[in-house]
Amino acid sequence: MFRIDDGSPAPLGATFDGRGVNFALFSANATGVELCLFDPKGNREIERVPLPRRTDQVWHVYVDGLVPGQLYGYRVHGPYDPRRGHRFNPHKLLIDPYARQLYGRVRWHEALFGYRMAGERSRTPDRRDSAPSMPKCIVEDPSHRWGDDRPPHRPAPDSIVYEAHVKGLTQLHPEVPQAMRGTYDALGHPAVIEHLVRLGITAIELLPIHAFVDDRFLVEKGLRNYWGYSTLAYFAPEPRYLGNAGTAGLKSAVRALHDAGIEVILDVVYNHTCEGNHLGPTLSFRGIDNAVYYKLSPDDPRFYWDSTGTGNTLNVSHPRVLQMVMDSLRHWVEHYHVDGFRFDLASTLARDPHDFAPRAAFLQACAQDPVLSRVKLIAEPWDIGPGGYQVGGFPIPWGEWNDQFRDTTRGFWRGDPGQLPKLTQVMTGSREIFEPSGRSPWASVNFVTAHDGFTLQDLVSYNERHNEANGENNKDGHNHNLSWNAGVEGPTDDPEILELRRRQKRNMMASLLLSQGVPMLLMGDELSRTQGGNNNAYAQDNEISWLNWRDQGDPEFLGFVQALIGLRRRYDAFRRRDFLSGKTVPRNGLKDVYWLAPEGREMTEGDWGDGLRRTLGMQLGNDAPDGQRFLILLNAAPDPVEFHLAPEPRDGWLAVFDTRLPGGLVRGTPATLNSGGTFPLDARSLVLFQHAPAAART
């Protein structure tokens, strides 16, 4: 039917050259590889082509006359010997690790498993054909043209990140056409982008869009893998978000976001795959070369070495697996023009082979790569393995999710004792954590809420998780929420409690956006999105997780967040390029930061040691390039405090932002605070003052 030639071992994957398609698949331990071609619906295998050549452990073939759109998969021959780490089974159709697109989805059936269900210890592989239950790879059409697309290249210190979900952000948007909702096309809809622009967002960080699998245990409960942390193919966009435009819809969305000055960051999962532990299905990597793609137990290769909690760990220590990850990352930058990546459980990627190393091969490869060294790289700097908590452990130029900012900010505004020393660290970019590696404040990606945990509205509405909808008897998710419901669990009509919850949201959002580092907001927090107390909504592809664009009971909070972001973007003091140090600024004789006690003095050692103190002043901007100086007063105590300023230096301050106000911005005649004067700082409030020398003379 087609003319077959040896082809080339590079590039890996399926490559159309205008005349035919070259197929190349790496497998070090295989004894043979077959290319399986399918009809347009993926129901019937129309031809099976043995790959005729093997060069440097890459099997390859060229099929003349084949065109983009062709569906295919692989069957790989080799030993089935789990005791030695080999799980080859040619009865299982396998996804090409380099597949650029997928057709269909995994339909759970016993045939997907490589072993006899009677016992995984059996040395006899299962002989049922898995093809009817498998998605198929698609030969990609490489003809897309980007025109004059120009990535924004936003400096990290100027970034405002918005963590979002393609479907969750767009599924209920009233201005997005019904047929478009939940797709990549909708992500680029003008109404969605307008919201991000008006909010002041500079980068959208998308939860995983690599093709992934709905876990079997979820499907059996009538649920889906909503978050997407179960990757099947590292080069292919998740098909469930494809609209009428196909993958071109994703490229158009990226282009539209770029045109609006918004970068696109992908949350990527290279630490593990959807194939799970030794009892999992054979879908791709396990059947292609299990002993290479996964880290196996040194004592018993039948089992996996697992630092991820998912059953397996991708073996990025192997050169070919590392190559795949690097090729995948470059693919998303070069073919989809994304601007950066957030790496799930990034500590696992830096284990070489089992211990974390700041000079691990993966980290060094990223640093020297001519493509990846120019995009944003953000680590989730932990996993569950030994020594896996590595906040501060990554090298230049990495940014890191800073969970210490999250926990300290939550604990401070909840009124927990002993929070002030740590609060000063996280509000100034966590110098103690990031400076030793030579990095700057923007290495700290600060957040109060993220997809994993409570939304901001739920953080102030629930003391306990409420994950019953997940079908795990409310045992899933974590208990370390550091939340406070203000007196009533969940919804209430009590006006005092509602106002206190609104104030607490404003306090935490102000702390986030007035701190050094890169702030990250969670999708919908600005609209008071609730998940009904579910702090682990990974399986809730429904109204629990989707953003409800209607009024959620706090209509002025959106304007509050917009105003805060506007302040941050306007003034240099909140977007420092280097760390505050407390040293004197030569041009004015002032320190670059002052920590003030409400008694009218700088904080003393005894003050810092007083665990019951919940009130603090922070004066900064004395060395800001734009010359604008600010004073932040914070009071997390349940009672008001008279905040005194010392007589010297002679200064005057005008209140410009106040969390007691629903909209935040101080309008009309602002409150004045002069040297030697006092300010009545309400309970649980934050007030921002701007330097106004004339105020000291009035």
Side-chain angles (χ1 to χ4, degrees), residues 106 108 165 167-168 207-232 238 240-241 269 272-275 310 344 451 470 472 536-542 545-546:
V106 170
W108 286 104
H165 186 283
K167 185 174 183 179
L207 265 68
I209 64 168
H210 287 171
F212 60 88
V213 170
D214 290 315
D215 310 81
R216 188 182 194 185
F217 77 96
L218 292 178
V219 173
E220 291 174 347
K221 292 190 292 186
L223 299 172
R224 302 181 73 182
N225 188 326
Y226 172 70
W227 285 353
Y229 292 92
S230 192
T231 307
L232 173 62
E238 169 52 40
R240 73 187 68 189
Y241 306 138
V269 189
H272 73 278
T273 78
C274 62
E275 291 184 304
T310 65
D344 180 63
H451 69 276
N470 296 352
E472 300 179 41
N536 189 35
Y538 75 104
Q540 300 303 323
D541 187 3
N542 50 48
S545 296
W546 302 339

Side-chain angles (χ1 to χ4, degrees), residues 82 97 116 152 187 213 232 238 259 288 336 394 487 516 572 610:
R116 289 184 176 179
L187 184 65
V213 170
L232 173 62
E238 169 52 40
D259 288 346
I288 294 171
Y336 286 94
F394 284 74
Q516 306 303 321
D572 294 338
D610 182 358

Side-chain angles (χ1 to χ4, degrees), residues 591-612:
K591 297 178 183 179
D592 60 6
V593 64
Y594 289 92
W595 301 107
L596 306 176
E599 292 85 356
R601 63 171 185 269
E602 289 189 62
M603 291 282 287
T604 67
E605 184 175 348
D607 294 333
W608 292 118
D610 182 358
L612 297 181

Side-chain angles (χ1 to χ4, degrees), residues 40 122 159 179 217 240 464 471 481 524 546 550:
S122 170
S159 297
F217 77 96
R240 73 187 68 189
E464 307 295 337
N481 295 306
W546 302 339
R550 296 191 299 271

Side-chain angles (χ1 to χ4, degrees), residues 49 79 94 105 131 137 141 145 157 160 187 201 263 278 308 315 361 364 379 416 479 503 563 570 574 590-591 607 625:
V49 181
L94 304 174
R105 59 184 176 83
C137 310
D141 182 350
R145 297 293 180 266
I160 310 285
L187 184 65
I201 298 303
E263 295 181 314
H278 63 290
T308 68
N315 186 19
Q364 294 195 57
D416 293 357
N479 288 317
R503 174 90 63 88
R570 192 175 306 128
F574 308 117
L590 300 173
K591 297 178 183 179
D607 294 333

Side-chain angles (χ1 to χ4, degrees), residues 293-317:
Y293 277 102
Y294 294 114
K295 291 188 177 182
L296 305 182
S297 169
D299 300 324
D300 188 349
R302 189 164 63 90
F303 300 104
Y304 295 91
W305 188 86
D306 180 15
S307 62
T308 68
T310 65
N312 68 56
T313 301
L314 201 66
N315 186 19
V316 182
S317 301

Side-chain angles (χ1 to χ4, degrees), residues 361-576:
F362 169 72
L363 299 179
Q364 294 195 57
C366 289
Q368 62 79 42
D369 188 275
V371 174
L372 302 180
S373 60
R374 299 198 301 267
V375 302
K376 291 180 170 64
L377 304 175
I378 302 171
E380 181 186 37
W382 51 76
D383 62 21
I384 69 165
Y389 185 78
Q390 288 294 332
V391 174
F394 284 74
I396 296 172
W398 284 76
E400 299 178 28
W401 271 26
N402 189 351
D403 64 330
Q404 296 184 31
F405 183 96
R406 175 197 64 197
D407 292 353
T408 302
T409 303
R410 290 184 179 191
F412 174 74
W413 287 112
R414 191 171 69 165
D416 293 357
Q419 297 298 307
L420 286 187
K422 191 65 178 179
L423 182 71
T424 66
Q425 294 179 13
V426 300
M427 287 192 69
T428 54
S430 297
R431 176 184 180 185
E432 297 79 2
I433 296 174
F434 297 108
E435 190 178 51
S437 60
R439 289 179 289 170
S440 302
W442 54 261
S444 179
V445 177
N446 301 329
F447 62 102
V448 176
T449 55
H451 69 276
D452 186 3
F454 281 146
T455 66
L456 187 59
Q457 181 65 38
D458 289 352
L459 188 64
V460 300
S461 303
Y462 296 91
N463 284 351
E464 307 295 337
R465 66 191 179 200
H466 296 269
N467 299 352
E468 289 81 5
N470 296 352
E472 300 179 41
N473 298 315
N474 201 32
K475 294 180 179 179
D476 62 303
H478 50 78
N479 288 317
H480 188 64
N481 295 306
L482 294 172
S483 60
W484 179 45
N485 63 20
V488 174
E489 188 76 354
T492 180
D493 294 326
D494 188 312
E496 292 186 6
I497 292 178
L498 290 174
E499 176 51 35
L500 178 54
R501 289 177 176 178
R502 296 184 188 114
R503 174 90 63 88
Q504 289 289 79
K505 286 194 302 178
R506 296 195 290 265
N507 287 332
M508 286 186 276
M509 187 63 73
S511 298
L512 174 65
L513 289 166
L514 297 178
S515 293
Q516 306 303 321
V518 176
M520 184 185 78
L521 284 68
L522 173 62
M523 176 190 81
D525 274 354
E526 75 280 10
L527 297 173
S528 303
R529 181 173 72 95
T530 177
Q531 293 181 164
N534 192 321
N535 76 350
N536 189 35
Y538 75 104
Q540 300 303 323
D541 187 3
N542 50 48
E543 288 84 354
I544 291 176
S545 296
W546 302 339
L547 174 54
N548 184 343
W549 291 82
R550 296 191 299 271
D551 175 26
Q552 300 293 298
D554 192 359
E556 294 181 271
F557 191 56
L558 173 60
F560 177 92
V561 179
Q562 289 173 326
L564 260 178
I565 292 177
L567 276 171
R568 180 183 180 87
R569 296 181 66 175
R570 192 175 306 128
Y571 297 113
D572 294 338
F574 308 117
R575 298 177 286 107
R576 294 182 60 88

